[in-house]
């Protein structure tokens, strides 16, 4: 059985074609900078097949990105399957399942409607996920599709962590509560961390930092999510590529009155024009920010510093929440690739037993311990693998 896994984010789309029974990976790749200047990577894992690394690929939307993926997979020369018939199912990462979805589900018309109803909860993501599902359905009629939700892992949070200090009926009647996101990723890296440390996950207190275009930090006690930085929507928590993260809600009234904005316009500012993009005025991409900061751009430097400071504060908060921490995990685009940012976040935490190994930290995208041998708290670099978890869930549902 081959499962195509589609992970459509706000500006990037990761894909893998894999066999969930054997774990064999047939091909993987990445569409990056969607809506900017499209970069397409295709890495077939079969002998004799050549990879493709193309810049400036026209990808104004996610539809063109998925079309490029399917064309590459069935390409007569470098494809890994003879035709679409060899793709048995598609597993889609879907960001927000609200309270409707506590587990993965086979997609049908009712499920599509229910996912669409969750769009206001994740305005940057659910629409991209839906475009991904619809593009696949159009190109692959009859192939079963499964939705795997980012909110599921966080359903173990206790009320003290997920309840907002609002009139209680907003929770009871309207289900306004912290949901949390990136659940598949946090769950995967937590399990890998336990394997790397050679300890049962039940005995570990972990803080997982998923740092990418969207970022979240999660406290995982005994393998269960007990708190997480994103909230009712993925707008909360640390500053992100274009999202503000946590802020004083009083700012909304002040700015809306001053500039005559309605709530939709205000939320567009908070979701699409804020974060490191808003502060720097340069880019939402941390690579662009790093280059600008290196050339002396003070606002780019401030944006990076604010992001790192925000993550550091969550680490401190979650160590307090759990009464300690055994390991801190870095994952996702920034967490896996940017040694400077990992160092900036983890330095200054020596008081709580975190001691980095500067040389070990000079690495990208590789599972590795990056703290010093005598560090009380281990710091781990773990590339996330949401795709494998999604493929396994998909296979178990469609079989
Ligand atoms: P993600 O949302 O996980 O795909 O992460 C996207 C973010 O990771 C973007 O801001 C990228 O700039 C950042 N990123 C990806 N590769 C690198 C790298 N080599 N160095 C620094 N940041 C990177």
């Amino acid at each position: 059985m081959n499962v195509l896994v589609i992970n459509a984010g706000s500006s990037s789309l990761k894909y893998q074609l894999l066999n969930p029974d054997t774990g064999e990976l047939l091909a993987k790749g990445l569409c990056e900078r969607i809506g900017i200047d499209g970069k397409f990577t295709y890495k077939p894992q079969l002998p004799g097949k050549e990879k493709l690394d193309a810049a400036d690929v026209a990808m104004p939307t996610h539809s063109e990105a998925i079309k490029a993926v399917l064309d590459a997979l069935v390409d007569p020369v470098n494809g890994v399957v003879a035709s679409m018939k060899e793709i048995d199912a598609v597993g889609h990462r879907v960001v927000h399942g609200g309270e409707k979805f506590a587990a993965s589900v086979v997609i049908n018309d009712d499920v599509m409607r229910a996912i669409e109803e969750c769009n206001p909860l994740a305005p940057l993501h659910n629409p991209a996920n839906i475009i991904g599902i619809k593009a696949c359905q159009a190109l692959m009629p009859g192939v079963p599709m499964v939705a795997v939700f980012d909110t599921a892992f966080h359903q173990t949070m206790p009320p003290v962590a997920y309840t907002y200090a609002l009139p209680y009926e907003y929770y009871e009647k309207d289900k306004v509560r912290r949901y949390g996101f990136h659940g598949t990723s946090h769950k995967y890296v937590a399990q890998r961390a336990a394997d790397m440390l050679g300890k049962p996950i039940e005995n570990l207190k972990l803080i997982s930092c998923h740092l990418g275009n969207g970022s979240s930090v999660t406290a995982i006690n005994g393998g269960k999510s007990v708190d997480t930085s994103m909230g009712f929507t993925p707008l909360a928590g640390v500053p992100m590529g274009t999202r503000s993260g946590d802020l004083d809600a009083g700012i909304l009234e002040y700015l809306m009155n001053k500039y005559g904005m309605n709530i939709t316009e205000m939320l567009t500012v908070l979701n699409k024009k804020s974060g490191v993009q808003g502060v720097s005025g340069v880019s939402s991409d941390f690579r662009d920010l790093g280059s600008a900061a290196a050339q002396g751009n003070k606002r780019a430097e401030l944006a990076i510093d604010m992001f790192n400071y925000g993550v550091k504060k969550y680490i401190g908060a979650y160590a307090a929440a759990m009464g300690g921490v055994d390991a801190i995990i870095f994952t996702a685009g920034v967490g896996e690739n940017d040694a400077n940012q990992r160092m900036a976040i983890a330095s200054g935490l020596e008081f709580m037993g975190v001691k980095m190994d500067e040389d070990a930290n000079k690495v990208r995208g590789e599972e590795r311990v990056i703290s010093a041998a005598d560090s009380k708290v281990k710091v781990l670099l773990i590339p996330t693998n949401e795709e494998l978890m999604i493929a396994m869930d998909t296979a178990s549902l469609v079989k």
Side-chain angles (χ1 to χ4, degrees):
M1 172 174 219
N2 296 324
V3 176
L4 174 63
V5 174
I6 299 288
N7 180 353
S10 46
S11 72
S12 64
L13 183 151
K14 290 184 197 164
Y15 66 93
Q16 290 190 3
L17 184 67
L18 36 82
N19 180 333
D21 301 322
T22 61
E24 188 198 5
L25 180 62
L26 299 174
K28 66 175 180 176
L30 182 61
C31 306
E32 284 177 283
R33 299 172 69 91
I34 296 170
I36 309 176
D37 57 357
K39 190 168 175 305
F40 180 66
T41 317
Y42 169 68
K43 291 183 183 162
Q45 308 290 301
L46 303 184
K49 304 288 180 181
E50 283 184 22
K51 64 180 181 180
L52 181 68
D53 199 340
D56 293 320
V57 178
M59 277 181 206
T61 72
H62 293 69
S63 293
E64 290 81 9
I66 288 170
K67 178 86 169 65
V69 171
L70 293 175
D71 286 348
L73 292 173
V74 302
D75 181 76
V77 181
N78 290 312
V80 291
V81 287
S83 75
M84 231 71 109
K85 284 194 185 108
E86 292 178 31
I87 302 175
D88 300 289
V90 183
H92 293 272
R93 173 190 177 215
V94 178
V95 166
H96 210 307
E99 288 235 312
K100 262 204 147 69
F101 300 106
S104 304
V105 64
V106 176
I107 298 170
N108 58 27
D109 289 348
D110 289 343
V111 169
M112 281 300 273
R113 270 190 294 275
I115 296 172
E116 275 169 15
E117 279 166 21
C118 296
N119 278 0
L121 304 178
L124 280 186
H125 287 90
N126 270 31
N129 302 151
I130 288 166
I131 288 168
I133 296 168
K134 287 185 173 164
C136 284
Q137 285 176 328
L139 292 158
M140 309 167 78
V143 177
M145 314 256 159
V146 168
V148 178
F149 298 93
D150 257 20
T151 40
F153 179 59
H154 299 297
Q155 288 296 307
T156 48
M157 281 189 291
V160 71
Y162 73 64
T163 310
Y164 287 114
L166 290 169
Y168 197 66
E169 58 265 30
Y170 290 133
Y171 169 61
E172 285 185 312
K173 268 180 38 212
D174 305 309
K175 298 294 170 207
V176 172
R177 51 158 285 175
R178 183 184 305 280
Y179 288 98
F181 302 88
H182 295 140
T184 314
S185 174
H186 289 296
K187 185 179 171 186
Y188 175 80
V189 297
Q191 190 56 61
R192 290 299 314 142
D195 290 349
M196 282 172 78
L197 297 170
K199 292 190 177 154
I201 199 164
E202 292 75 20
N203 298 346
L204 287 171
K205 290 173 177 165
L206 303 170
I207 297 173
S208 160
C209 305
H210 178 113
L211 311 179
N213 191 45
S215 297
S216 67
V217 184
T218 296
I220 303 163
N221 198 345
K224 296 191 162 104
S225 170
V226 292
D227 206 347
T228 192
S229 60
M230 284 179 169
F232 180 63
T233 73
L235 180 54
V238 297
M240 303 178 219
T242 62
R243 279 169 268 170
S244 64
D246 296 334
L247 84 173
D248 178 349
I251 294 168
L252 275 66
E253 185 199 28
Y254 179 77
L255 288 179
M256 287 165 73
N257 285 343
K258 181 141 197 213
Y259 294 106
M261 282 188 278
N262 61 32
I263 191 64
T264 307
E265 291 164 333
M266 186 72 244
L267 278 171
T268 299
V269 171
L270 298 180
N271 272 307
K272 301 197 170 173
K273 298 184 178 171
S274 298
V276 294
Q277 161 81 64
V279 172
S280 69
V282 170
S283 174
S284 62
D285 191 300
F286 279 88
R287 285 165 292 197
D288 298 341
L289 291 178
S291 311
Q295 285 162 15
N297 185 313
K298 291 291 171 206
R299 275 171 54 189
E301 190 183 329
L302 174 64
I304 296 170
D305 288 349
M306 284 171 62
F307 175 82
N308 294 341
Y309 178 67
V311 176
K312 189 197 293 272
K313 285 206 297 185
Y314 266 103
I315 291 172
Y318 288 163
M322 292 191 289
V325 55
D326 297 302
I328 296 165
I329 305 161
F330 285 103
T331 195
V334 176
E336 291 170 25
N337 290 299
D338 199 315
N340 292 335
Q341 290 195 236
R342 287 194 300 265
M343 190 55 88
I345 291 163
S347 60
L349 297 179
E350 291 79 7
F351 76 94
M352 52 181 262
V354 178
K355 191 170 159 195
M356 289 287 277
D357 179 329
E358 236 181 291
D359 287 332
N361 184 45
K362 284 181 191 145
V363 69
R364 286 179 48 186
E366 204 178 283
E367 228 172 60
R368 174 187 284 202
V369 179
I370 55 172
S371 49
D374 60 346
S375 183
K376 194 167 117 344
V377 177
K378 301 292 169 215
V379 185
L380 309 174
L381 169 51
I382 304 180
T384 192
N385 197 346
E386 293 157 284
E387 289 80 4
L388 181 56
M389 293 213 69
I390 292 171
M392 288 176 353
D393 254 16
T394 301
S396 71
L397 280 168
V398 303
K399 263 179 188 164

